[in-house]
Amino acid sequence: MILSTSVINPNKKRFKKTAISYTLITIFFFAFSRIYESFSFGETSVHMHYLFAVPLVGGIILVILLKALPQFSRISFNLWNSAVAIITAGTLFRGIVNLSGRSTTLDAPYWYVGIGFVVLALLSISINPIRLKKNFRTTEV
């Protein structure tokens, strides 16, 4: 059976889709934060100004992990995406509150839950290869 050259490796496809998605999200948040700040009547917010950095850094780390770990599981991928989304939402919330001229601690749960998801994602990355080796050994015997 001859394989067509149009068949793409699923890992390459996920890598490419992830890189494009995070690039577009970063561009969107960069433009959104600049436009939102321009209508803030002189108020500034570090959180709003650097909102784009959260998906940028999260995407770079994810792309590196996808390239370095070919056995990167779907649950690790989803946990990482969730962590980036939660931290981005927390940064956006804090930026909007700061631009309104107020301060609050209502954004604290975003940070705690986001960090929790990062920890879960990193644990799932480290546990998955151990589980795969254990399953391979039991099927060998």
Side-chain angles (χ1 to χ4, degrees):
M1 182 175 160
I2 298 173
L3 292 175
S4 170
T5 57
S6 65
V7 176
I8 298 174
N9 183 354
N11 288 335
K12 283 186 179 182
K13 188 175 180 180
R14 181 165 59 162
F15 176 83
K16 185 177 179 181
K17 184 178 176 184
T18 301
I20 290 170
S21 297
Y22 272 94
T23 301
L24 292 174
I25 291 168
T26 300
I27 291 168
F28 170 77
F29 278 123
F30 181 81
F32 173 80
S33 66
R34 296 311 182 264
I35 293 167
Y36 198 92
E37 273 192 329
S38 70
F39 291 109
S40 68
F41 302 106
E43 291 289 328
T44 60
S45 170
V46 172
H47 290 86
M48 186 62 81
H49 195 72
Y50 293 106
L51 175 63
F52 73 94
V54 177
L56 177 66
V57 172
I60 289 171
I61 293 171
L62 182 58
V63 165
I64 290 170
L65 288 173
L66 285 173
K67 201 67 161 166
L69 304 170
Q71 76 280 4
F72 199 77
S73 71
R74 188 73 184 166
I75 191 161
S76 301
F77 184 76
N78 289 340
L79 285 168
W80 187 266
N81 284 337
S82 297
V84 172
I86 292 167
I87 294 170
T88 302
T91 306
L92 177 62
F93 178 74
R94 173 57 76 91
I96 290 170
V97 168
N98 287 350
L99 287 176
S100 71
R102 298 179 181 92
S103 64
T104 185
T105 58
L106 291 176
D107 62 327
Y110 289 102
W111 307 113
Y112 297 134
V113 173
I115 290 169
F117 270 79
V118 168
V119 170
L120 286 174
L122 295 175
L123 281 174
S124 70
I125 291 168
S126 62
I127 290 172
N128 189 35
I130 295 168
R131 202 177 88 232
L132 287 175
K133 287 179 186 176
K134 185 178 179 181
N135 286 344
F136 181 71
R137 287 185 191 145
T138 57
T139 57
E140 249 181 30
V141 179

